[in-house]
Amino acid sequence: MGIKGDAAIVGFAQYKPEKYQTAPQMFHLEQVADLAGQALRDSGLKASDIDGLVINGPQFHEASCFVPAMAAEYLAFGLILQKLLIWEAQHLSP
Amino acid sequence: MIWRAAKAIEAGLCQAVLCVIPMRMAPFGPEDDPAWMMKAMRFGGHSTVYGAPEAEFDLPYGHLGQNTGYAMIAQRYAAMHGYDAAAAAKIAVDQRFNAQANPEAIFYGKTLSVDEVLASRMVADPLHVLEIVMPVAGGAAVIVASKELLSKCKNRPAHITGFGEHLGYKSPTYAKDMLYTPVGPASDFAFKTSGLSRSDIHCAQIYDCYTITVLLSLEDAGFAPKGEGFRFIKEHNLTYQGDFPLNTHGGQLSFGQSGSAGGMSQVIEAVTQIQGRAGARQLKKCDNAFVTGTGGVMSEQGALILQ
């Protein structure tokens, strides 16, 4: 029921907040890849270390369903890994 | 998101999880209607489709979206415990002070006073516009890794030692008591799982879509008794220089709310403080951080303890 506390946050990436009118526009798949790359560099891990994905389901531009599968496909995670784990999380960030 | 990743790792399902929320706008296609987003935002998180409970029982009576819902909760608080508008404004002001030490914040370089908050436009009584988050474009990613991978990582790890999540309702219309929010059970579970007590916490990164959200979260998470949140706010310096550092990045009120990625700013700030990478706003001691997240109108909420 509880948590052992073994797992840890080891890296992150965050776009600088900008006004919508002047912020760069990017496809959501592009942002996923860009943020993933930045977070990996911050952590010191390699892309091949990643074998799980948690991503927002709604409000995703390029798909209204099968969002995790599409993002995993774009990141080529599915080609590398056998045990990809996917959850769709909604508004709740932590 | 984060605790799901941590639990999956502990269960042996995976070793490193990417949690990612892209929230910049995508380019419009030739057939796209640029007004789509404004239309979608008009009713906040409320569903307007035929058959939706809010469409039948909330929207026709003026409960149009987030602003009115949070204002209703604040009005209820005022009726039960009294309302201190200047203390509510102090939440936004102390957080704005923190943002002056964070060049990433949207309101970096713009100071704020209690008088300015109280003189700002009233959006939904008692919430002034400067007590409401500013929507921004952004996005965030976090990587959660197993203990086996930690030796390969560059930075100090922020262990997920406590978590909780509670969903009670979507519209506060259906809350048993609007003043006892899901942050309560979520936080109790987080403290129970971590084994820490409230006094062990070195910084609180509290989801702050509105000032009233912070007030109720501080009470329901157990940092202040019910009904005494305003007194707590007045008695404590909530800045990174103070005795109760709160939303040290400026909070979403001053950092900006990048849609669903907004709450991730609180997680990332807790990690930044634990890792000692917060620059001018770095706390002298930050080993234990408490984080909350909120969705809907205080309807789905989560808590994390990071160490």
Side-chain angles (χ1 to χ4, degrees), chain B residues 150-188:
Chain B
L150 296 184
S151 61
K152 294 166 76 174
C153 296
K154 291 193 292 198
N155 303 305
R156 175 181 167 181
H159 288 269
I160 298 124
T161 61
F163 75 97
E165 184 170 322
H166 193 82
L167 291 78
Y169 45 86
K170 185 180 179 199
S171 167
T173 302
Y174 304 101
K176 276 185 192 154
D177 185 333
M178 284 187 284
L179 300 185
Y180 290 84
T181 65
V183 160
S187 303
D188 286 346

Side-chain angles (χ1 to χ4, degrees), chain A residues 8-11 42-45, chain B residues 143 145-146 149-157:
Chain A
I9 296 174
V10 295
D42 183 62
S43 70
L45 294 178
Chain B
I143 293 172
S146 68
L149 282 180
L150 296 184
S151 61
K152 294 166 76 174
C153 296
K154 291 193 292 198
N155 303 305
R156 175 181 167 181

Side-chain angles (χ1 to χ4, degrees), chain A residues 2 4-5 7-11 13-18 25-26 28 31 41-43 49 51-52 54 59 92-93, chain B residues 7 10 14-16 18 20 23-25 103 137 139 141 143 145 152-155 158-160 165 255 260 265 277:
Chain A
K4 283 181 281 187
I9 296 174
V10 295
Q14 186 164 233
Y15 287 138
K16 184 180 165 71
E18 293 174 273
Q25 294 184 339
M26 287 172 78
H28 284 179
Q31 296 178 48
R41 283 190 288 281
D42 183 62
S43 70
D49 291 321
D51 58 356
V54 187
Q59 301 176 324
L92 200 68
S93 294
Chain B
K7 288 291 280 185
E10 288 194 359
C14 46
Q15 58 172 3
L18 170 70
V20 58
M23 278 291 146
R24 283 178 171 170
M25 294 256 283
I143 293 172
K152 294 166 76 174
C153 296
K154 291 193 292 198
N155 303 305
H159 288 269
I160 298 124
E165 184 170 322
F255 181 78
S260 308
S265 78
R277 299 161 71 191

Side-chain angles (χ1 to χ4, degrees), chain B residues 46-59 170 174:
Chain B
H46 279 172
S47 178
T48 56
V49 300
Y50 180 60
E54 308 103 292
E56 188 170 2
F57 298 115
D58 282 278
L59 297 170
K170 185 180 179 199
Y174 304 101

Side-chain angles (χ1 to χ4, degrees), chain B residues 97-172:
Chain B
F97 181 89
N98 291 340
Q100 301 318 303
N102 183 4
E104 295 287 301
I106 193 95
F107 285 111
Y108 177 68
K110 287 184 186 162
T111 59
L112 186 65
S113 70
V114 168
D115 288 342
E116 284 172 304
V117 174
L118 297 179
S120 69
R121 185 164 58 89
M122 185 68 83
V123 174
D125 195 9
L127 301 172
H128 302 84
V129 70
L130 292 175
E131 298 180 81
I132 301 173
V133 279
M134 177 158 129
V136 295
V142 163
I143 293 172
V144 184
S146 68
K147 65 178 176 187
E148 288 75 20
L149 282 180
L150 296 184
S151 61
K152 294 166 76 174
C153 296
K154 291 193 292 198
N155 303 305
R156 175 181 167 181
H159 288 269
I160 298 124
T161 61
F163 75 97
E165 184 170 322
H166 193 82
L167 291 78
Y169 45 86
K170 185 180 179 199
S171 167

